[in-house]
Each structure stands twice: as structure tokens, then as C-alpha cells.
């Protein structure tokens, strides 16, 4: 669905970014009664790990994801930036706060929907 731009040269990182680029769900932990990790959650964790091992490659791919990913993919990208570049994350969330695109969310067993507008507002002004 989403064509990757320039590849990083790291197959695992590229595969994780591709998974996140087409994501329709945001979940940071296990979902359902069994606490199953979704493939997108595993991909998110692989990109988190890549930031520690290959920060420049990971940053390029996350910047690409922020520009070209699905709504959920862009939410993952902005979230990933929070740990490595809070100012860039804030800029990303600010840019996303006018976007009404929606995606599915999971928090444990609870499934819901959110818009990028709502999600960005929550990240910019947590209460």
C-alpha cells in the first residue's frame, strides 16, 4: 500500500517501517484477554531498538514515516520521536493536530477509535 522511499540498508528496520506505514491500529502493549502483541506493536518496538543501535538510520526512516505513513503510522512516528527528539515530536504533533484522519486504538482489552487531531491534542496538552 505504501511505497518506501530510500531504504536504510537494514532489512529489519525497513520491514518495521513498512509495517508501521500501513498500520491501521495503534497499540503499545498487548491486546485482548491474552495480551497478544500485534505485528504493528512489534514493529514499533523494533524501531525503538533501532534508535539505540542505529540512530541516524532510524531517524531517517521515522521522518519518512511521518510524511508518508497511514494515520496510525504517523502517530507511531511522532511517538517514536518523543524519546529521541522532544522538540521534533512536539513539531510533529503540532502539524498533526489539524488532521481528522482516524485509526483504531487498543489499550489492553479496550478497542476504540481516535483521530490524529484528538491524539495530537492529547500529546500536546496531557491533562
Amino acid at each position: 500500500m505504501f511505497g518506501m522511499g530510500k531504504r536504510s540498508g537494514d532489512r529489519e528496520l525497513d520491514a518495521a517501517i513498512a509495517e508501521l506505514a500501513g498500520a491501521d491500529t495503534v497499540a503499545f502493549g498487548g491486546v485482548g484477554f491474552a495480551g497478544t502483541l500485534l505485528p504493528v506493536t512489534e514493529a514499533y518496538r523494533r524501531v525503538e531498538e533501532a534508535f539505540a543501535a542505529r540512530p541516524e538510520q532510524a531517524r531517517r526512516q521515522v521522518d519518512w514515516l511521518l510524511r508518508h505513513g497511514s494515520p496510525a503510522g504517523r502517530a507511531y512516528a511522532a511517538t517514536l520521536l518523543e524519546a529521541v527528539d522532544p522538540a521534533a515530536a512536539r513539531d510533529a504533533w503540532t502539524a498533526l493536530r489539524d488532521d481528522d484522519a482516524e485509526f483504531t486504538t487498543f489499550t489492553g482489552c479496550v478497542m476504540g477509535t481516535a483521530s490524529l487531531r484528538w491524539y495530537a491534542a492529547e500529546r500536546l496538552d496531557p491533562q
Side-chain angles (χ1 to χ4, degrees):
M1 176 177 187
F2 292 90
M4 285 287 294
K6 187 175 182 180
R7 303 242 182 229
S8 71
D10 177 324
R11 283 177 146 159
E12 189 172 310
L13 175 59
D14 292 342
I17 292 293
E19 180 75 33
L20 294 174
D24 61 2
T25 301
V26 172
F28 295 102
V31 302
F33 291 114
T36 304
L37 285 183
L38 299 176
V40 293
T41 305
E42 292 173 350
Y44 174 85
R45 291 180 177 180
R46 285 194 307 272
V47 177
E48 273 185 319
E49 292 167 2
F51 264 115
R54 300 168 301 288
E56 290 178 24
Q57 288 175 316
R59 179 60 186 265
R60 282 193 300 273
Q61 295 300 80
V62 168
D63 287 345
W64 178 90
L65 180 61
L66 191 56
R67 292 187 311 275
H68 301 287
S70 66
R74 293 187 309 239
Y76 277 119
T79 303
L80 283 158
L81 287 174
E82 289 174 351
V84 297
D85 189 343
R90 185 162 186 75
D91 290 345
W93 288 122
T94 299
L96 295 172
R97 73 177 168 196
D98 293 326
D99 194 326
D100 288 325
E102 293 187 344
F103 49 87
T104 301
T105 61
F106 269 103
T107 304
C109 297
V110 180
M111 184 174 99
T113 60
S115 68
L116 274 171
R117 172 189 302 272
W118 178 86
Y119 212 77
E122 288 292 308
R123 294 298 186 138
L124 289 167
D125 188 24
Q127 295 183 23

